[in-house]
Amino acid sequence: MEKAVGAGELTRVHPDDLPDGLVIADHRGVVVCCNAAAARLTGHPAADAVGRPIERALPLEDPDGRPWWRLTDPYGGLATRTGQPERNLLLPGGREVLVAARYVRDRPSGELTRLVVSLRGTDARKRTERGNAELIATVAHELRSPLTSVKGFTATMLARWERFTDDQKRLMLQTVDNDADRVTRLITELLDVSRIDSGRLEIRRQPVALDDAVRRHVDTLVNNGYPDDRFQLDIQHELPSLWADPDKIDQVLVNLLENAVRHGSGRVTIEVHRAPATRTRQEGTAVTVSDEGPGIPEDAMQRVFTRFWRGSERGGTGLGLYIVKGIVEAHGGTVTVGRSTGGGARFRFILPAGIPAFLR
């Protein structure tokens, strides 16, 4: 029988258990601790650092190439200092690390008895910076085309209003209106991405008839010029009650249907069925949208719901499916991607059934 672990043992953490690098120097500035994470970041065994002066075991430089320990002088500087805030420094070879330091003293303004340094890699921050750069580039690209069109048509109409016929004016105004809708949709997508990333996506639940919503969006696509026989509906009767945000569910359906007609080909099949309860999931409603296009390569399946993923060169921001996943999961549901029987893409999301307890 295994021995129970006491509370005292749980509070004793080994330095190698820490996710960040840890280097500790004593009152003389000699390294007495270097954990495994610090060894990985510096590229040198921990045993090589222990017993050496910290400025040699951890030769850090600022972005201008100046020796960090000489600049900060933790042992000889002002005794009122308590440490150094996290900042970006360089290891030999130019590798970037995020470094913070804590000055431990026996008493305020006393001599330094211990120097505690934490190290973190910058890979996660660089990925975030690359994502932000991609977002800015995407926004700039997607906004340029409609705004150029709006500016061109409005400037032309203002300069030559009397020369155009009513039909020509109507056509140009319709184009401006469509481009304004495109800009509005892009801004909405960006706001949704921001809310999903920060966990602030608001869900305003009310009864939703998912079958009616599907029929409405298919009718809209047909009215916009897609042939009626391109869509096949398979809607089960007596679906479970669904309590969801109708506007957000509309976003999910619009994104999945437009993805199917824009990037897929052949017939688009939309199935709305009851999803029976399982051991890990309550009863719900499942919506499946599949097409007969080229489908999604197996190696790309894991990236479909990430930001900026595009399945083809047919335009789009690459944010739609990311938003779909965020909205479905905010409702407590799940969304998956696979291959349809016709070889195309197959997206399926399941929303849990039920209504609030106070309405029962």
Side-chain angles (χ1 to χ4, degrees):
M1 181 175 180
E2 293 184 2
K3 181 181 177 181
V5 179
E9 295 181 44
L10 290 175
T11 59
R12 290 195 294 270
V13 178
H14 192 278
D16 288 344
D17 295 336
L18 299 176
D20 294 337
L22 174 68
V23 178
I24 302 176
D26 62 13
H27 66 284
R28 301 167 300 164
V30 175
V31 174
V32 295
C33 174
C34 178
N35 72 349
R40 286 194 299 271
L41 288 170
T42 60
H44 297 287
D48 291 352
V50 175
R52 300 181 65 192
I54 192 165
E55 65 269 15
R56 294 183 182 177
L58 197 60
L60 296 167
E61 295 181 349
D62 70 4
D64 295 326
R66 296 174 297 181
W68 179 241
W69 300 116
R70 191 180 304 170
L71 291 173
T72 57
D73 192 14
Y75 291 91
L78 293 174
T80 56
R81 295 179 302 169
T82 59
Q84 293 289 337
E86 187 177 71
R87 63 193 65 199
N88 193 57
L89 298 176
L90 301 175
L91 289 167
R95 181 174 185 181
E96 295 182 359
V97 286
L98 295 171
V99 181
R102 172 71 175 169
Y103 300 166
V104 181
R105 307 178 190 276
D106 286 339
R107 54 184 174 80
S109 300
E111 292 185 358
L112 192 65
T113 59
R114 191 161 64 254
L115 175 64
V116 181
V117 181
S118 68
L119 307 171
R120 289 195 299 128
T122 60
D123 292 345
R125 190 181 69 173
K126 287 181 177 178
R127 284 194 297 269
T128 300
E129 291 174 349
R130 284 196 299 270
N132 291 337
E134 288 182 22
L135 183 60
I136 293 171
T138 298
V139 171
H141 175 76
E142 291 295 324
L143 287 177
R144 182 184 296 116
S145 177
L147 290 179
T148 299
S149 173
V150 168
K151 178 62 178 176
F153 278 116
T154 54
T156 300
M157 285 189 293
L158 288 172
R160 304 177 180 180
W161 180 261
E162 301 297 334
R163 299 185 184 182
F164 296 114
T165 65
D166 288 344
D167 289 341
Q168 290 172 325
K169 292 174 184 177
R170 185 178 297 106
L171 176 61
M172 287 189 284
L173 287 174
Q174 286 174 343
T175 303
V176 170
D177 185 62
N178 291 336
D179 285 332
D181 287 342
R182 181 176 167 187
V183 172
T184 300
R185 179 173 178 179
L186 175 60
I187 292 172
T188 301
E189 285 184 343
L190 294 174
L191 290 173
D192 286 336
V193 167
S194 174
R195 294 183 183 117
I196 290 170
D197 287 345
S198 61
R200 295 185 293 106
L201 186 67
E202 293 186 5
I203 302 297
R204 305 180 186 276
R205 295 179 185 269
Q206 63 186 65
V208 173
L210 201 51
D211 51 347
D212 290 343
V214 168
R215 292 189 182 97
R216 186 176 70 253
H217 288 295
V218 170
D219 289 342
T220 299
L221 290 171
V222 172
N223 291 334
N224 287 340
Y226 290 99
D228 181 64
D229 59 1
R230 187 171 181 187
F231 303 96
Q232 177 177 328
L233 296 181
D234 179 5
I235 299 178
Q236 194 175 56
H237 296 293
E238 298 182 359
L239 295 169
S241 300
L242 179 63
W243 192 262
D245 187 321
D247 293 334
K248 296 291 188 293
I249 299 305
D250 281 345
Q251 278 184 268
V252 171
L253 294 173
V254 166
N255 275 310
L256 292 181
L257 289 172
E258 288 192 354
N259 182 78
V261 297
R262 176 183 295 178
H263 303 290
S265 61
R267 177 171 292 181
V268 176
T269 302
I270 305 100
E271 303 169 71
V272 186
H273 289 180
R274 177 186 296 268
T278 64
R279 184 176 60 84
T280 59
R281 188 183 65 214
Q282 70 184 83
E283 183 187 39
T285 302
V287 178
T288 305
V289 179
S290 54
D291 61 71
E292 299 173 343
I296 300 170
E298 291 293 335
D299 58 350
M301 290 285 187
Q302 301 298 321
R303 305 194 306 272
V304 165
F305 295 107
T306 60
R307 290 197 296 177
F308 310 118
W309 184 86
R310 295 180 179 87
S312 70
E313 302 299 325
R314 301 182 187 178
T317 61
L319 299 175
L321 293 177
Y322 178 79
I323 292 172
V324 165
K325 183 174 185 291
I327 290 175
V328 170
E329 291 182 347
H331 280 83
T334 59
V335 59
T336 57
V337 61
R339 189 172 294 278
S340 68
T341 55
R346 176 181 181 272
F347 289 90
R348 185 172 192 255
F349 69 91
I350 300 176
L351 297 176
I355 59 176
F358 68 86
L359 291 178
R360 294 173 184 170

